[in-house]
Amino acid sequence: MQELLERKKGLRRTILIVDDDYIAREILGKMLKSQYEVCYAQNGEIALNIIRRDRLKLSLVILDLHMPEMDGYSLLKLLRSDNELRRIPVIVLTSEKGAEVESLKIGAADFIAKPFDMPEVICARVGHSIELAEDSIIIHETERDELTGLFHKEFFFQYGKRLDELNSNMPMDAIVVDINRFHVVNELYGRCYGNSVLKTIGDSIHEIVSREGGLACRRDNDHFCIYLPHSDELALKLPQYIEMINKRINDSNISLRFGVYSDDGSSSCMEHRFDCARLACHKLRGSYVSCFEFYNDEQHSKELYAERLISDMDKALSERQFRVYYQPKYSIRGDKPQLSSAEALTRWFHPEFGMVSPGQLISLFEDNGLIQKLDRFVWNEAAAQIKQWKEKYGIEIPVSVNVSRVDMFNSRLVEILNDITEQNGLKNEKLLLEITESAYTDNSTQIIETVGKLRANGFKIEMDDFGSGYSSLNMLTSLPIDALKLDMKFISGICENQKTERLVGIMIEIARLLEVPVITEGVETKEQMELLKKLGCDIIQGYYFSKPLPPEEFGALIEKELEEKNHAYN
Ligand code: C2E
Ligand code: MG
Ligand code: MG
């Protein structure tokens, strides 16, 4: 494109004259030499080699139709069918009338009749053909995304609307394609790899659109739109599309989601159809496999809510609408439970929606990377809180923070955490890090490596929600962790169900084998607490002791504990 713009600014263009007749070549060459660089070939085969070699340089081919070896018709057909070479315009040299029509039909830009007369007419026709071809390339390139060759968003919607106007009776389906956690792919494997994935998807979509009719664009980054004539079979075709694209990408870490708005005969506009398809697509957030979802009306309000949370996030952070609550953890090893640490848990006080709990936020924010901002805010708050309590009460209460699976892919994670503890004058072991078990099974090598680095820097790692992921027993023995936190779903039925009790017993045994303490969360009753103590659990977190508390209330809890002078920290 750059080269083309420069050529348009006045650089000399190159023309290839292909004719077996030496005299004809010379006459034409003489006419054009003052304005163009001219090269020659005496038959189609030689010409094809030159064209392939100089394809970026050539502005025009002037082609005789009758030649030995490969004739002009064959070469012209070949050039028109080649993706890379078809941009070079061809003017044919003819001496009979019928040939002119025939060659225009197979894609010649113009023709020049033999024998040659009026050099100025010939020069004008040459100049005109080059200009037309160059303008059409520039239009093509501005309309299209450089990486994938699909339309840019603006042109896509412009042409789509025109299509709708011209064929008002033709129902159209809208499909939105998104890559799950694409920012992680980029961070983990680099932009270059990310781009090659986007290109593969773009090529596949191009193929689908060429086959089915319709249009497609790359809307932004990892987000594609496809506008296809309506098909009742779309639900059957989508798995085939997905299979084709997955095969080409050939990387099990990458999965796609397709949101579909299927034309229902209502006269909604193109933009609205794509809004609906996007909502359907968002419903699949957090999924690990490629899949699709059709839009339906109920989804609408839920998804609009999620969209609002995403768009309000930055403002909420700057206005400190997020608050960090602290839930105490108690050691139950001795006769009397003792406050041992706390877990920091986020709460969003949204001016319109009231308190939004992390359950509604985390997977939403993990999907678009916003979780990194939120987590960093929470880590800073938690570290500052430890420092503040230390100054006020003279004790350093360790606080655990949740570290999302997405944070684990940040190559600066260790540095960021080190800075936070340093700024607050804390030892790294006081800021405990909770990493959910399923993160380990997602990408075990990467996580284990990062966890290794964190531990080497003195951070302590607690494996959160243990039992909810799919760690193999074998993998567990090699995991670098400092504590196991049992998933709370085992606890609710522990007193009523003997099998659950046995299972929790086994998990505690596993922790013994790994030589790490066991923390149980979600403990709500005295019976549960006593049973867990009997089974050998070390630390308990749950409503039985306390709900997550705002910092001031947690402070009161510390004071009470200090009065009893029974603290197990320091
Ligand atoms: P988690 O880390 O496993 O946190 C424990 C969750 O259990 C908390 O829910 C807590 O309020 C709740 N809980 C504690 N005791 C009991 C109990 O006795 N009974 C019941 N039913 N629930 C109890 P919460 O605060 O809603 O957080 C949910 C999840 O969201 C957390 O699970 C954690 O994975 C995630 N999360 C919370 N804050 C953050 C954060 O700042 N960053 C990240 N990445 N994740 C967070
Ligand atoms: Mg946790
Ligand atoms: Mg947990």
Side-chain angles (χ1 to χ4, degrees):
M1 182 78 167
Q2 185 60 30
E3 193 185 330
L4 185 60
L5 287 171
E6 272 173 21
R7 250 194 266 160
K8 270 198 106 53
K9 272 194 278 169
L11 285 177
R12 277 168 74 85
R13 294 159 175 83
T14 306
I15 293 177
L16 173 67
I17 299 175
V18 193
D19 198 327
D20 57 326
D21 176 353
Y22 171 77
I23 311 263
R25 286 202 307 265
E26 281 300 303
I27 297 175
L28 257 185
K30 267 218 170 81
M31 286 181 197
L32 299 169
K33 247 182 195 156
S34 61
Q35 287 184 55
Y36 303 98
E37 294 296 321
V38 181
C39 52
Y40 304 92
Q42 59 269 42
N43 65 46
E45 251 177 48
I46 297 174
L48 186 59
N49 284 335
I50 297 176
I51 294 169
R52 289 218 163 105
R53 189 192 64 204
D54 295 343
R55 64 187 179 284
L56 297 177
K57 206 169 80 180
L58 279 178
S59 290
L60 178 78
V61 175
I62 300 180
L63 181 65
D64 183 32
L65 288 176
H66 301 290
M67 290 179 298
E69 310 292 329
M70 183 193 281
D71 70 7
Y73 288 111
S74 316
L75 180 60
L76 181 57
K77 276 188 195 150
L78 211 146
L79 295 180
R80 293 303 96 186
S81 63
D82 186 303
N83 248 344
E84 266 193 291
L85 305 181
R86 68 148 65 103
R87 65 153 200 93
I88 305 170
V90 177
I91 294 182
V92 294
L93 301 173
T94 59
S95 37
E96 68 265 30
K97 270 248 170 329
E100 291 159 359
V101 180
E102 181 61 18
S103 48
L104 289 175
K105 268 190 195 157
I106 56 174
D110 203 350
F111 57 86
I112 295 173
K114 273 183 174 178
F116 310 123
D117 55 9
M118 311 252 290
E120 55 283 18
V121 173
I122 290 176
C123 285
R125 294 185 104 144
V126 164
H128 184 62
S129 290
I130 292 176
E131 198 165 322
L132 272 182
E134 289 181 355
D135 285 350
S136 97
I137 290 171
I138 290 170
I139 291 170
H140 185 271
E141 307 254 311
T142 32
E143 282 176 339
R144 293 191 184 251
D145 164 45
E146 204 176 334
L147 182 67
T148 61
L150 299 176
F151 282 117
H152 285 306
K153 178 175 83 183
E154 295 73 24
F155 291 97
F156 172 73
F157 280 98
Q158 197 177 317
Y159 292 144
K161 281 181 205 160
R162 204 182 296 163
L163 197 76
D164 284 345
E165 271 169 32
L166 292 173
N167 308 286
S168 54
N169 295 327
M170 184 156 79
M172 297 291 285
D173 296 334
I175 305 173
V176 163
V177 185
D178 233 329
I179 308 175
N180 291 316
R181 296 184 191 80
F182 186 63
H183 57 99
V184 173
V185 174
N186 264 338
E187 270 178 46
L188 199 55
Y189 306 111
R191 278 207 102 67
C192 200
Y193 182 74
N195 281 351
S196 77
V197 171
L198 291 171
K199 186 157 179 359
T200 306
I201 297 171
D203 288 349
S204 309
I205 290 178
H206 199 86
E207 221 175 285
I208 295 168
V209 170
S210 319
R211 201 178 336 142
E212 306 284 336
L215 302 166
C217 77
R218 179 154 80 113
R219 188 165 187 155
D220 42 45
N221 206 15
D222 62 332
H223 178 171
F224 299 84
C225 294
I226 314 177
Y227 203 36
L228 293 180
H230 173 71
S231 161
D232 287 334
E233 324 259 80
L234 195 55
L236 299 174
K237 288 180 184 171
L238 282 166
Q240 294 166 14
Y241 298 159
I242 290 175
E243 195 189 330
M244 168 178 92
I245 300 177
N246 279 348
K247 246 193 203 148
R248 291 183 184 177
I249 298 175
N250 192 22
D251 182 340
S252 58
N253 286 318
I254 294 171
S255 60
L256 306 178
R257 51 177 192 259
F258 287 63
V260 186
Y261 173 86
S262 175
D263 198 310
D264 55 1
S266 64
S267 54
S268 45
C269 70
M270 184 184 183
E271 266 125 358
H272 180 251
R273 293 174 206 208
F274 276 97
D275 285 346
C276 295
R278 198 156 55 101
L279 291 180
C281 192
H282 284 180
K283 198 174 166 214
L284 298 170
R285 249 188 239 114
S287 130
Y288 292 84
V289 287
S290 293
C291 46
F292 61 87
E293 176 80 31
F294 278 78
Y295 170 84
N296 62 53
D297 281 336
E298 294 119 63
Q299 241 169 277
H300 203 85
S301 54
K302 247 169 96 184
E303 286 300 328
L304 287 180
Y305 176 66
E307 294 273 294
R308 267 295 296 282
L309 295 182
I310 293 172
S311 63
D312 290 352
M313 154 84 174
D314 273 334
K315 188 160 170 260
L317 269 180
S318 66
E319 290 182 356
R320 298 190 67 84
Q321 292 170 14
F322 286 98
R323 291 204 64 197
V324 180
Y325 275 37
Y326 296 87
Q327 187 174 33
K329 297 182 199 172
Y330 282 85
S331 163
I332 54 165
R333 274 177 297 224
D335 294 341
K336 235 180 142 233
Q338 288 182 349
L339 178 63
S340 68
S341 61
E343 176 173 8
L345 294 156
T346 332
R347 302 289 178 259
W348 183 353
F349 293 90
H350 192 284
E352 204 176 307
F353 306 138
M355 195 183 80
V356 184
S357 72
Q360 301 171 58
L361 294 178
I362 304 304
S363 82
L364 188 67
F365 286 179
E366 279 187 341
D367 198 64
N368 49 33
L370 284 178
I371 192 71
Q372 300 196 56
K373 280 192 197 170
L374 179 61
D375 279 351
R376 208 190 284 198
F377 167 78
V378 175
W379 303 339
N380 269 307
E381 288 287 301
Q385 192 62 66
I386 302 175
K387 183 180 173 206
Q388 200 191 326
W389 283 329
K390 185 175 158 191
E391 286 164 0
K392 188 162 178 192
Y393 302 114
I395 50 167
E396 233 178 10
I397 300 174
V399 172
S400 61
V401 291
N402 290 285
V403 177
S404 155
R405 69 190 79 234
V406 175
D407 299 312
M408 297 302 283
F409 295 111
N410 184 342
S411 53
R412 293 191 49 242
L413 178 66
V414 180
E415 196 186 319
I416 291 169
L417 285 163
N418 269 331
D419 284 352
I420 291 176
T421 48
E422 198 186 315
Q423 276 161 20
N424 290 285
L426 301 179
K427 288 202 190 109
N428 286 351
E429 67 198 32
K430 297 295 176 191
L431 191 68
L432 311 171
L433 308 178
E434 294 193 11
I435 299 166
T436 187
E437 183 195 10
S438 61
Y440 281 87
T441 33
D442 264 8
N443 191 320
S444 50
T445 2
Q446 164 82 18
I447 303 278
I448 290 174
E449 196 187 312
T450 310
V451 165
K453 275 190 215 149
L454 289 166
R455 292 182 85 225
N457 275 266
F459 289 101
K460 297 259 183 275
I461 311 295
E462 297 183 351
M463 185 193 263
D464 205 355
D465 313 315
F466 178 63
S468 67
Y470 300 94
S471 303
S472 71
L473 291 177
N474 187 31
M475 180 180 141
L476 274 178
T477 55
S478 60
L479 280 186
I481 49 166
D482 301 285
L484 271 189
K485 274 188 99 167
L486 298 194
D487 192 69
M488 67 175 94
K489 72 167 177 277
F490 297 109
I491 308 310
S492 55
I494 192 175
C495 294
E496 293 77 37
N497 187 331
Q498 277 227 321
K499 276 193 189 151
T500 315
E501 181 187 330
R502 293 250 305 275
L503 193 60
V504 170
I506 291 170
M507 291 198 280
I508 293 175
E509 278 305 306
I510 291 175
R512 291 281 157 274
L513 185 84
L514 302 176
E515 298 172 344
V516 296
V518 180
I519 304 163
T520 310
E521 56 186 338
V523 179
E524 296 185 354
T525 65
K526 191 162 194 270
E527 294 77 48
Q528 289 170 346
M529 198 270 283
E530 279 167 355
L531 180 55
L532 285 161
K533 185 170 176 167
K534 193 183 88 191
L535 291 171
C537 171
D538 303 285
I539 293 170
I540 281 200
Q541 175 184 348
Y543 297 168
Y544 172 65
F545 285 117
S546 168
K547 292 200 163 184
L549 301 170
E552 355 20 292
E553 287 181 36
F554 196 95
L557 201 94
I558 302 174
E559 282 174 25
K560 190 171 141 239
E561 186 81 8
L562 282 176
E563 274 167 27
E564 291 173 16
K565 298 214 183 323
N566 252 336
H567 41 93
Y569 27 78
N570 255 339

